[in-house]
Amino acid sequence: MLKVGITGGIGSGKTTVCQLFELLGIPVFYADTRAKYLMATDEVLINDIKAAFGNDMYPEDGLLDRRRLASIVFNDDLQLEKLNSVVHPAVFRDFAVWSARQKAPFVLKEAAILFESGSDKDCDYTIVVTSPLVLRIDRVMSRDNVSAEEIKKRMDKQLNDDEKIKLADFVLLNDEQQLLIPQVLALHKQLLGLNDHKR
Ligand code: ATP
């Protein structure tokens, strides 16, 4: 099964692109959503989080105290690294199980920090969705009702588009000038022709 990673900066439109691939019958693994689910349900990961941050991250009701964990990792890169060092392997394991179950010519793994997390190494090919910065800020402001400053802060934690483009095998330009759907159809066709693993 060919595994294709897809990423893009905040507001670039990677989820929109994934939804188009889903309409074409391609299964998509949403790594960030899945990570949140695993933090609530995966016993190995729950134990790793307790070992790293203390049992009280999961108070008596057994539910993860997300607010508390977020406050620890939010402004502390070392703590964030510690969290990622247990979450990423759990997502890797889960993706392996999930992808083995899929019956499709290829699968997509969507991750906001595909390259930053090393997740790209688990994929045969990678796609980056790119958009002009102003457009990305506008989109996220209207989608999430947050300020431009807040969005820029989040962007600072990610690789910039030029760096991602250098690392990716395929680039989709979602600038609302070039039509997105024909680009997705062309890439879908191209990926169907790639049955050999590249890496
Ligand atoms: P994030 O990393 O913040 O989750 P994302 O890269 O997944 O963002 P999307 O959620 O797909 O981005 O898109 C951001 C917003 O912009 C959404 O509300 C989406 O509907 C809108 N959008 C994306 N692409 C287009 C487009 N080509 N035309 C109009 N709206 C678009």
Side-chain angles (χ1 to χ4, degrees):
M1 166 81 60
L2 198 71
K3 294 173 187 162
V4 183
I6 177 163
T7 189
I10 175 170
S12 60
K14 57 190 169 302
T15 307
T16 305
V17 168
C18 287
Q19 286 164 347
L20 292 171
F21 272 105
E22 283 186 299
L23 290 176
L24 296 168
I26 301 303
V28 182
F29 180 91
Y30 293 92
D32 300 342
T33 312
R34 201 62 199 168
K36 284 192 192 115
Y37 173 75
L38 293 171
M39 286 162 82
T41 57
D42 184 278
E43 271 189 36
V44 177
L45 178 56
I46 291 174
N47 285 333
D48 285 347
I49 292 175
K50 284 181 182 168
F53 297 100
N55 283 340
D56 49 357
M57 282 303 132
Y58 291 83
E60 275 156 34
D61 57 8
L63 297 176
L64 173 64
D65 189 342
R66 287 187 187 279
R67 197 172 287 183
R68 186 151 179 203
L69 186 59
S71 74
I72 293 174
V73 301
F74 191 68
N75 280 319
D76 188 333
D77 287 348
L78 272 180
Q79 296 296 327
L80 181 61
E81 231 173 80
K82 193 155 104 181
L83 179 62
N84 285 340
S85 74
V86 293
V87 173
H88 291 157
V91 176
F92 271 46
R93 292 193 295 272
D94 188 56
F95 178 59
V97 173
W98 176 88
S99 52
R101 281 201 203 121
Q102 303 307 313
K103 293 192 175 29
F106 64 90
V107 295
L108 288 182
K109 180 181 195 180
E110 192 234 50
I113 53 165
L114 187 80
F115 296 113
E116 297 89 328
S117 66
S119 231
D120 60 309
K121 295 187 182 60
D122 199 22
C123 299
D124 301 297
Y125 293 92
T126 55
I127 304 169
V128 65
V129 182
T130 173
S131 300
L133 203 64
V134 214
L135 208 52
R136 290 168 53 199
I137 293 174
D138 270 1
R139 285 177 187 154
V140 180
M141 279 172 76
S142 47
R143 187 194 59 187
D144 298 349
N145 199 20
V146 285
S147 70
E149 299 318 307
E150 178 56 39
I151 298 163
K152 284 183 191 152
K153 244 195 255 170
R154 288 195 224 161
M155 284 176 168
D156 285 345
K157 291 188 190 270
Q158 304 180 339
L159 284 180
N160 68 40
D161 273 18
D162 289 345
E163 290 168 298
K164 287 191 186 114
I165 289 169
K166 269 191 226 149
L167 295 168
D169 297 300
F170 303 100
V171 179
L172 293 175
L173 178 56
N174 184 21
D175 64 354
E176 296 178 32
Q177 302 291 319
Q178 322 287 317
L179 289 175
L180 186 60
I181 294 175
Q183 292 183 64
V184 171
L185 290 174
L187 181 55
H188 174 254
K189 197 171 166 191
Q190 207 175 342
L191 290 167
L192 289 180
L194 299 172
N195 41 24
D196 275 331
H197 287 206
K198 191 182 106 180
R199 295 186 179 122

